[in-house]
């Protein structure tokens, strides 16, 4: 619109989700006498309906300055129905109105600067509100009145994020690069406490105030791009990115549950601690060789910084706990892993147009991950006793693919 100065996009979504959840005991060696086959020990119906609408405008204010304005409204309803073994049937609504605003200024043909502000909101999982698969659980609400079907004030609140970004970009035939500074301020961030529930899912709760902030840099370097087209080195290029970040709680006192009067029971104070499973450095570097006749080769290196398994930051506030017999540090060491691959598209070298009309691509590829057979962990958790567990990565592994 406006002589192509502006582009307005309006859209929406309707999502209606119905599900049945149940658990059965298929067999067991010490079941009570008379237990029938496939005994069902929980059953409930879960529903989640989502309705959203958005509008997003991108407008060229001047030949060099472009603005973006967006707004989204989302309505969601969770519902639990027909719980066969417990008297809980309820629904809960969420309404989110989230704006975003951005500006981009092209200094010249090579340089640009940009900034934006955005808000995001996210609802908790249904399991955070009520873990119906646990036979001893009850809905996670401050007020539960099964007789009058009143369920009010869920303990796990929606999270809200305010994001601020400021960056610059450079583009030429040889180099493309972007540098971005960001700060994301969270209220009620939904975070894991590092533990898993009875079916292996993270146990989540709200952190009062938390921050994710850092610097991002990415680039694509083609040093031989200005050479003659016949020069084979023209096809060699380097890509990479790095994120240096600081992810910590400003205000987080753990909530363990509530008493019979609905008053919250508080646990550890994790304020100023690092947020679990958030490495302070993530970096990737890839050397690529891509030809016009279908041959592609790459070698990549990935570095992931140190990560903590729970929000205690390896007992930062209680260092004497680390002296206990059998104590294991609750973090994942930093690691670097190398991968490589080669692929060839046979049809890129075929000149027969009739054959290419039937088969446009026939690609064979080989990928080798963890080339140097490094032993490292990628994730983990801590159980209710404080014992740490780690999930290791695969050793050297191979993939052979054929794509038609």
């Amino acid at each position: 619109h406006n002589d192509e100065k502006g582009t307005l996009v309006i859209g929406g979504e309707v999502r209606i989700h119905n599900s049945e959840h149940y658990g059965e005991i298929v067999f067991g060696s010490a079941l009570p006498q008379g237990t029938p086959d496939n005994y069902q020990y929980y059953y409930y119906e879960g529903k989640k309906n989502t309705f959203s609408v958005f509008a997003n405008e991108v407008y060229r204010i001047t030949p060099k300055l472009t603005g973006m304005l967006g707004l989204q409204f989302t309505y969601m309803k969770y519902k639990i129905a027909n719980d066969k073994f417990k008297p809980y049937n309820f629904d809960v609504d969420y309404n989110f109105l989230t704006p975003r605003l951005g500006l981009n200024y092209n200094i010249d043909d090579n340089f640009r600067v940009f900034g934006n502000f955005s808000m995001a909101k996210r609802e908790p999982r249904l399991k955070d509100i009520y873990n119906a698969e646990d036979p001893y659980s009850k809905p996670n609400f401050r007020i539960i009145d099964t007789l009058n079907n009143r369920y009010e004030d869920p303990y796990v609140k929606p999270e809200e994020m305010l994001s601020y970004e400021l960056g610059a970009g450079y583009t030429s035939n040889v180099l493309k690069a972007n540098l971005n500074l960001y700060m994301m301020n969270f209220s009620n961030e939904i975070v894991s406490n590092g533990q898993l529930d009875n079916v292996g899912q993270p146990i989540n709760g709200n952190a009062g105030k938390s921050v994710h902030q850092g610097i991002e840099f990415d680039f694509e370097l083609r040093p031989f791009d200005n050479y003659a087209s016949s020069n084979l080195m023209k096809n060699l290029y380097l890509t990479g990115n790095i994120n240096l970040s600081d992810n910590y709680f400003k205000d987080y006192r753990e909530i363990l549950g509530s008493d019979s009067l609905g008053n919250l029971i508080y646990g550890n104070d994790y304020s100023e601690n690092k947020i679990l499973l958030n490495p302070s450095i993530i970096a990737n570097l890839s050397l690529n060789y891509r030809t016009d006749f279908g041959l592609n080769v790459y070698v990549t290196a990935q570095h992931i910084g140190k990560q903590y398994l729970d929000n205690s930051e390896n007992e930062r506030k209680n260092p004497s706990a680390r002296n206990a017999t059998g104590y294991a540090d609750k973090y994942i060491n930093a690691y670097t892993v190398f991968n490589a691959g080669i692929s060839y598209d046979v049809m890129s070298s075929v000149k027969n147009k009739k054959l290419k009309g039937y088969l446009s691509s026939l690609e064979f590829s080989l990928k080798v991950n963890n080339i140097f057979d490094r032993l490292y962990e990628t994730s983990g958790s801590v159980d209710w006793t404080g014992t740490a567990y780690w999930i290791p990565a695969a050793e050297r592994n191979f993939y052979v693919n054929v794509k038609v």
Side-chain angles (χ1 to χ4, degrees):
H1 61 83
N2 285 36
D3 296 326
E4 299 185 356
K5 287 184 177 181
T7 301
L8 175 65
V9 178
I10 299 173
E13 177 187 32
V14 176
R15 186 185 296 266
I16 298 174
H17 175 83
N18 297 315
S19 57
E20 295 180 359
H21 299 254
Y22 59 88
E24 293 179 342
I25 299 175
V26 179
F27 65 89
S29 60
L31 298 177
Q33 207 168 26
T35 301
D37 293 338
N38 300 321
Y39 175 74
Q40 200 173 80
Y41 66 94
Y42 74 82
Y43 175 94
Y44 68 96
E45 294 173 9
K47 303 177 185 294
K48 183 181 180 182
N49 296 336
T50 303
F51 307 94
S52 70
V53 62
F54 71 88
N56 194 77
E57 168 72 16
V58 177
Y59 193 83
R60 195 170 71 254
I61 301 169
T62 71
K64 292 188 174 184
L65 180 64
T66 302
M68 181 271 293
L69 179 64
L71 188 65
Q72 180 178 37
F73 174 76
T74 304
Y75 167 80
M76 276 171 285
K77 178 190 282 289
Y78 280 130
K79 186 172 184 179
I80 287 285
N82 297 323
D83 191 321
K84 286 186 178 180
F85 299 93
K86 289 179 284 185
Y88 304 127
N89 296 279
F90 63 87
D91 58 59
V92 59
D93 299 345
Y94 296 99
N95 297 284
F96 300 143
L97 185 65
T98 50
R100 56 182 180 172
L101 172 68
L103 291 172
N104 181 88
Y105 184 75
N106 296 322
I107 299 173
D108 55 30
D109 292 339
N110 300 112
F111 287 98
R112 69 186 183 100
V113 293
F114 57 86
N116 72 62
F117 163 79
S118 59
M119 174 188 289
K121 297 183 180 182
R122 180 167 70 103
E123 76 283 2
R125 301 175 305 168
L126 178 58
K127 181 170 283 191
D128 298 332
I129 300 171
Y130 175 44
N131 185 6
E133 297 169 10
D134 184 342
Y136 304 106
S137 70
K138 63 179 183 178
N140 202 9
F141 290 81
R142 187 176 60 83
I143 296 176
I144 302 173
D145 183 351
T146 56
L147 292 178
N148 298 302
N149 199 35
R150 281 184 62 212
Y151 298 83
E152 297 178 6
D153 197 9
Y155 285 126
V156 181
K157 309 295 185 185
E159 71 178 21
E160 179 177 304
M161 180 195 73
L162 301 178
S163 176
Y164 310 87
E165 296 187 49
L166 184 64
Y170 174 83
T171 301
S172 71
N173 291 335
V174 174
L175 176 65
K176 295 178 182 177
N178 293 288
L179 178 68
N180 188 41
L181 310 178
Y182 68 91
M183 173 181 282
M184 298 186 292
N185 288 323
F186 281 83
S187 299
N188 294 320
E189 181 176 3
I190 299 171
V191 296
S192 168
N193 67 1
Q195 298 179 23
L196 305 178
D197 65 15
N198 60 314
V199 292
Q201 296 293 313
I203 299 173
N204 291 340
N206 291 120
K209 299 285 185 181
S210 54
V211 174
H212 297 258
Q213 60 186 2
I215 302 172
E216 299 171 311
F217 176 72
D218 66 85
F219 74 93
E220 179 179 305
L221 177 63
R222 295 178 175 270
F224 309 108
D225 203 64
N226 290 329
Y227 282 48
S229 59
S230 60
N231 192 318
L232 292 178
M233 295 298 290
K234 181 176 184 289
N235 300 310
L236 187 69
Y237 62 99
L238 190 69
T239 61
N241 58 71
I242 187 170
N243 170 245
L244 304 174
S245 65
D246 187 18
N247 311 281
Y248 66 94
F249 299 109
K250 291 179 68 176
D251 176 22
Y252 178 23
R253 194 175 175 194
E254 191 177 28
I255 296 175
L256 301 178
S258 60
D259 60 22
S260 58
L261 299 177
N263 299 310
L264 294 177
I265 301 172
Y266 291 97
N268 296 304
D269 184 356
Y270 292 136
S271 301
E272 307 303 324
N273 282 8
K274 302 291 185 184
I275 301 174
L276 83 167
L277 298 178
N278 272 261
S280 58
I281 177 171
I282 299 174
N284 297 277
L285 189 64
S286 179
L287 182 63
N288 311 274
Y289 188 76
R290 181 180 295 273
T291 70
D292 296 331
F293 54 85
L295 178 66
N296 302 304
V297 183
Y298 71 86
V299 178
T300 67
Q302 182 180 61
H303 178 80
I304 303 294
K306 182 178 178 180
Q307 304 173 67
Y308 292 97
L309 292 179
D310 69 1
N311 294 317
S312 73
E313 197 180 330
N314 197 33
E315 302 298 339
R316 182 181 72 89
K317 293 185 176 182
N318 184 27
S320 62
R322 299 197 290 264
N323 299 324
T325 302
Y327 181 86
D329 288 321
K330 296 184 287 187
Y331 57 75
I332 300 170
N333 285 309
Y335 62 87
T336 303
V337 62
F338 291 84
N339 310 308
I342 183 171
S343 66
Y344 178 63
D345 187 351
V346 176
M347 300 309 295
S348 294
S349 302
V350 172
K351 305 300 182 183
N352 190 310
K353 291 184 178 180
K354 186 174 182 180
L355 180 58
K356 295 186 76 170
Y358 289 109
L359 190 63
S360 61
S361 177
L362 176 59
E363 183 181 89
F364 297 88
S365 63
L366 169 67
K367 293 191 291 184
V368 184
N369 296 326
N370 196 0
I371 296 172
F372 299 111
D373 207 20
R374 174 80 185 273
L375 297 178
Y376 64 99
E377 300 87 31
T378 60
S379 189
S381 61
V382 177
D383 69 14
W384 63 275
T385 68
T387 303
Y389 295 86
W390 290 266
I391 298 175
E395 298 177 345
R396 184 186 299 118
N397 56 95
F398 303 84
Y399 289 83
V400 177
N401 299 295
V402 179
K403 185 191 296 184
V404 179

